[in-house]
Amino acid sequence: MSNVQIRPLLTILTLSLLVSLTGCDDSPAQADTANRAVLVYMLANNDLADYAESDLAEMKRAAGDIGNGRLLIYLQSKTDVPRLFEISTSDTDLTLKTYDTTVSSADPRRLKEVVDDVRSIADADSYGIIFWSHSTGWQSEPQSTLDNRMSVTPLSFGYDAGATAGRMKITSMAKALEGNRFDFIYFDCCHMATVEVAYELRHLTPFIAASPTELGVDGMPYDLNLRCFFAPKANLSQAIRNTFSTYPLTYTYGCSISLISTEGLDRLAYVSRMAMKYAPPLSYTPVRYFRKGVLDTGIFDMAHYFRAMTEDDPPLAREWEVAFRNTVTESHSTSSVFMLPADNFNGLGCHILSDSYPSSALGYDELAWYRDVVAR
């Protein structure tokens, strides 16, 4: 073998040795980047505790469907301190962090802390978030709507029944999540498909999946939906179809659920603002999304209301309809939901101001939708 041949060989061997030595230093190895990390923010320190256990079991059964993703759960239960843990195919789930109970899990400071922790712990190309608990849309104050049959008070998102009991306003949720971007937000809880909620969160995500009405305590089928959340492009359309499909066959109280494209909300706000110069006919009766025995005010079908207001202005009516359909891209409902007839359900709720419930009631005048659309 000639010297001309030996020198390149020695060079290759030397470089290989250097690479090997470099790989043997004491610095910690970099974790692989997940394609997506999904956080389930689960407030189960309340009467939903048993259903949390069944949903966690569904997640465990489908853990093999997440591929190169990571599924993290923040759980406030009745029996343990709040903790952040990861669902995996192994027998034991990994606890990543525990939290003290001096701050309610419904406090926006805790939500911000947990989201920051997830981004620090789970490096990923993208993120999704699922909210799990009680909720009542945009409504946030526990007064002004009580009647003798009242069983639930307005609370926006979440109910932490511990010593630091609390509920989270939708405006506080938006503030806590500010600066983040999620592939999707899925509300596995009641009444969050309202235009006020979606508009408040529109800068955080391109897609929101939620129910405009009450949602059965069984929530969504996580064993079917995890593969949708961790697909290369999250398939929210299939996820809401999976959820909807479980209800007509199994539960008598029905289901309604929608997919909202936040990209359409600014246009919807613009044409809705123009429509607000009109009033519906005096004989108009809104379509309720709340059972009267639960809340005497609340959330009504948005499309039914705005169609009534614009019926004497066909060009505006058509313009509004296009904007609405570009926002609510898909909605499903059984023929009735919690005894409410659903013939005129269109998948997105809104508040209707009245003398009984002015803008100051329930903090409505704090919302971006009120400022940008209703008050102008």
Side-chain angles (χ1 to χ4, degrees):
M1 186 179 293
S2 69
N3 289 340
V4 174
Q5 294 170 312
I6 292 172
R7 286 193 186 96
L9 180 59
L10 289 173
T11 301
I12 292 170
L13 290 171
T14 301
L15 289 172
S16 299
L17 179 60
L18 287 173
V19 170
S20 299
L21 291 172
T22 301
C24 294
D25 65 20
D26 294 328
S27 61
Q30 293 294 316
D32 291 338
T33 300
N35 69 314
R36 183 175 300 115
V38 175
L39 167 65
V40 183
Y41 196 79
M42 183 176 278
L43 274 63
N45 185 20
N46 48 52
D47 57 352
L48 298 177
D50 291 344
Y51 300 98
E53 292 301 318
S54 61
D55 281 350
L56 289 168
E58 289 178 353
M59 296 178 206
K60 191 69 177 177
R61 288 199 298 271
D65 291 338
I66 68 176
N68 186 37
R70 297 185 68 175
L71 178 60
L72 290 83
I73 315 297
Y74 173 80
L75 175 63
Q76 168 69 82
S77 69
K78 280 186 173 182
T79 58
D80 201 358
V81 296
R83 65 188 182 107
L84 180 67
F85 62 96
E86 184 167 5
I87 296 281
S88 69
T89 55
S90 63
D91 292 337
T92 304
D93 294 324
L94 176 64
T95 295
L96 303 170
K97 183 177 178 179
T98 57
Y99 300 80
D100 62 62
T101 55
T102 60
V103 176
S104 168
S105 293
D107 190 307
R109 293 174 297 170
R110 175 53 53 84
L111 173 60
K112 183 181 187 309
E113 180 184 9
V114 172
V115 170
D116 288 346
D117 287 339
V118 167
R119 286 190 172 273
S120 175
I121 293 169
D123 185 31
D125 295 329
S126 64
Y127 295 84
I129 189 166
I130 298 165
F131 288 99
W132 188 107
S133 193
H134 285 297
S135 60
T136 52
W138 59 267
Q139 299 173 102
S140 58
E141 298 297 332
Q143 69 267 9
S144 303
T145 63
L146 302 180
D147 62 28
N148 292 332
R149 298 167 297 167
M150 190 73 178
S151 60
V152 178
T153 56
L155 49 85
S156 275
F157 169 75
Y159 180 54
D160 178 356
T164 54
R167 304 170 172 96
M168 191 185 305
K169 292 182 178 182
I170 194 64
T171 50
S172 299
M173 175 185 286
K175 187 69 175 177
L177 298 176
E178 196 172 51
N180 289 282
R181 185 71 177 173
F182 302 97
D183 284 354
F184 63 87
I185 296 175
Y186 192 114
F187 285 104
D188 192 16
C189 44
C190 302
H191 294 301
M192 297 305 272
T194 80
V195 71
E196 293 89 355
V197 170
Y199 194 73
E200 204 73 37
L201 304 178
R202 69 193 186 282
H203 298 308
L204 299 171
T205 182
F207 299 108
I208 296 172
S211 294
T213 57
E214 289 177 78
L215 180 68
V217 289
D218 302 273
M220 77 156 107
Y222 286 87
D223 49 345
L224 299 179
N225 280 353
L226 286 192
R227 67 183 60 193
C228 302
F229 298 140
F230 287 96
K233 182 178 180 181
N235 191 344
L236 270 291
S237 174
Q238 187 60 54
I240 69 167
R241 292 177 189 182
N242 289 343
T243 299
F244 177 72
S245 68
T246 64
Y247 280 85
L249 299 176
T250 311
Y251 308 110
T252 58
Y253 39 77
C255 175
S256 67
I257 193 163
S258 303
L259 181 58
I260 300 162
S261 170
T262 60
E263 185 179 0
L265 281 164
D266 286 333
R267 181 64 182 172
L268 183 62
Y270 174 76
V271 293
S272 295
R273 186 165 61 244
M274 291 192 293
M276 292 298 293
K277 66 185 178 183
Y278 297 111
L282 293 176
S283 60
Y284 176 71
T285 300
V287 173
R288 303 183 66 89
Y289 279 147
F290 265 103
R291 287 182 289 160
K292 194 173 180 64
V294 175
L295 282 177
D296 196 33
T297 179
I299 299 167
F300 303 91
D301 187 87
M302 183 185 188
H304 190 266
Y305 177 54
F306 275 85
R307 286 168 186 164
M309 285 198 293
T310 59
E311 63 182 9
D312 292 330
D313 189 340
L316 179 58
R318 288 191 294 270
E319 192 174 0
W320 190 91
E321 196 71 33
V322 169
F324 182 80
R325 292 304 169 196
N326 286 338
T327 301
V328 182
T329 59
E330 187 173 348
S331 65
H332 305 276
S333 180
T334 49
S335 58
S336 66
V337 182
F338 284 89
M339 297 176 290
L340 294 173
D343 295 344
N344 290 302
F345 280 11
N346 293 280
L348 190 65
C350 75
H351 183 56
I352 299 176
L353 293 178
S354 67
D355 292 338
S356 300
Y357 301 105
S359 61
S360 58
L362 308 174
Y364 193 70
D365 55 2
E366 300 175 15
L367 297 167
W369 180 262
Y370 173 80
R371 294 193 304 271
D372 292 352
V373 178
V374 180
R376 289 195 176 186

